[in-house]
Amino acid sequence: MSPLIFASFQALSPNGVIGSSWRDPSNTQIDYLTIEHWTELAKKLESGGFDFLFFADTFGYPTLDGELIPFAVEAGYNVPMADPITIVSAIAAATSKLGVVLTNSTTHEKPAALARRFATLDHFTKGRIGWNIVSGGGQSSSTALFGEPMIPHDERYLQADDYLQICLRLWEGTWADDALRVDRESGVYADPDGVRQVSYEGNYLRTKGILNVPPSPQRTPLLLQAGTSSAGRDFAAHYAECVFVGGGDPAVVARNITAIRDRAEEIGRPRESVKFLVGAGFVVGTSQAEAQRKYENLLGFATLEHAAATFAWSTGVDLLKFDLDKPLPELRSDIGQTSLDRFRSPDGNGPTVREILEDYRQHGINGTTFVGTPETVADEVEAFVAATGADGFLVQQHITPGTHDDFIELLRPVLLKRGLMRPTREDVTLREQLLDAGPRVAATHPGAQLKFKTTADA
Ligand SMILES: Cc1cc2nc3c(=O)[nH]c(=O)nc-3n(C[C@H](O)[C@H](O)[C@H](O)COP(=O)(O)O)c2cc1C
């Protein structure tokens, strides 16, 4: 089996994905609003061989029928969440190899603003930045916050398509490779023939202008995507270089991965050019009993109300209103359909509402937790990869620094011995590290067609 990609799943909030883990006295994540917390963690992840640090993010928070769920506030669960972009420069200064991937939604902010910010960060990180493109979880609260109407689910992906068309034109099409001269002698800072306004008229978004940041190492940041509805899969097949998928039943994960690879191939991208990372929990101990104890400790901070709050965030549906011992009826939601479909079987005999809540309580939104010794976890990782075709994992944070210390000190030596982790490299961009490709988008990616063309090229 070839080496896998490993990233750390984080958010600027006091918890990991399971329960109110901030209550554990050893959890330093409680310091998430200090710069030192993140720079120290980033250094640890870098020396521990992680490929990148991933920041989940959302403007949304759990609401039901437009009202804030008081439990979420009381438990510090999904509320609060601070803006991760503010910490990236500090992490860039403290590290030299670790990638940083930021989540930004295509729903609320105009694309030119995002393109400029990521271009600047691509300079500051020396090409180590990636963008996790989401159409946005927590839509009902985030659209209310921005004073906007909620766009229907599939239409959000049409808007996201306009969004990418604009960003790619700005990143790839504004500056010629040799436009920047900075020649003090002649007084030419940049060649005006090498800088062009780009334009795009979509149904949802439009632009005419330049990216006002000189070319950065990757130009287009590494593009990642999360969202596996059918519209989400189609969008991923067009634009994503890496896709985040939830864990859970390996057969379902494999189906999602194959569907996106098939679609990518249909539209002219090699199927292996899209990498897949699975969100999963890792609870590792020196014995099975110790790992189980750590997991039980974590679950002691998680209730069915935590599970219901996360489900409400992603779907707008209050599971606690249903008969807990019956399967969930067929429901449609413009906030998010993926979590509703995941637990429905076509014959109506899906899991009961209580089982759905237990699944969320025990695994968080992403559905897979490996609990065991380094050897048993490595066995399970290998089996999961063989069954799904995944390329790596987003290691969900539970207790800081315990989750990562256990991963680095206990599991990593076994993964290295089995050739499942690879060395991170100095002086390469995130794209080169993850895709074994050049620093720029591949020739088969839609961004490549939008590169600045000289009159001779045109
Ligand atoms: C591993 C993983 C991480 C994700 N991180 C975020 C995130 O940080 N913010 C967000 O709004 N959505 C995130 N999502 C995706 C949302 O769940 C997605 O926007 C939602 O599923 C709606 O898209 P869909 O209906 O196409 O699935 C993540 C999904 C996965 C599998």
Side-chain angles (χ1 to χ4, degrees), residues 179-246:
L180 196 68
R181 299 285 164 80
V182 199
D183 186 340
R184 285 192 165 127
E185 195 67 28
S186 64
V188 176
Y189 189 81
D191 172 8
D193 290 337
V195 182
R196 295 222 178 110
Q197 296 196 100
V198 294
S199 56
Y200 178 79
E201 279 283 331
N203 286 333
Y204 301 88
L205 298 163
R206 52 208 60 86
T207 198
K208 180 176 178 203
I210 63 164
L211 174 75
N212 205 2
V213 183
S216 65
Q218 301 182 109
R219 307 293 183 90
T220 296
L222 184 78
L223 297 178
L224 305 94
Q225 187 267 4
T228 43
S229 60
S230 65
R233 291 203 301 254
D234 197 60
F235 179 84
H238 276 87
Y239 295 108
E241 298 172 280
C242 278
V243 178
F244 294 150
V245 288

Side-chain angles (χ1 to χ4, degrees), residues 17 50 86 109 140 145 149 182 223 235 260 275 322 358 437 454:
V17 293
F50 278 80
T86 52
E109 188 186 25
S140 85
L145 178 68
V182 199
L223 297 178
F235 179 84
I260 296 173
K275 305 287 179 205
F322 292 87
E358 263 307 322
T454 61

Side-chain angles (χ1 to χ4, degrees), residues 152-171:
H153 179 275
D154 285 6
E155 216 178 318
R156 292 206 285 274
Y157 280 103
L158 299 177
Q159 187 200 48
D161 195 82
D162 276 0
Y163 206 103
L164 263 288
Q165 288 295 327
I166 291 175
C167 287
L168 289 169
R169 277 171 173 74
L170 290 168
W171 285 322

Side-chain angles (χ1 to χ4, degrees), residues 17 32 39 52 64 66 108 129 151 156 165 205 226 231 255 289 305 324 335 339 355 374 387 422-423 431 444:
V17 293
Y32 72 100
T39 51
F52 65 90
L64 284 169
H108 304 300
I129 195 83
I151 304 170
R156 292 206 285 274
Q165 288 295 327
L205 298 163
R255 266 206 302 282
E305 275 181 294
L324 297 193
I335 297 172
S339 302
E355 285 164 344
R422 56 183 165 179
R431 182 170 286 114
T444 49

Side-chain angles (χ1 to χ4, degrees), residues 9 54 56-58 103 132 134-137 153 157 226-229 232 244-246 279 313 337-338 366 394:
F9 188 122
F54 162 61
D57 193 28
T58 174
T103 301
N132 175 32
V134 295
S135 61
H153 179 275
Y157 280 103
T228 43
S229 60
F244 294 150
V245 288
W313 173 83
Q337 192 62 33
T338 303
N366 282 322
L394 278 177

Side-chain angles (χ1 to χ4, degrees), residues 420-450:
L420 296 177
M421 248 180 134
R422 56 183 165 179
T424 43
R425 293 178 282 157
E426 216 51 81
D427 297 325
V428 295
T429 62
L430 184 57
R431 182 170 286 114
E432 288 163 287
Q433 170 68 20
L434 296 196
L435 307 183
D436 296 323
R440 309 279 301 272
V441 283
T444 49
H445 190 276
Q449 272 72 60
L450 300 171

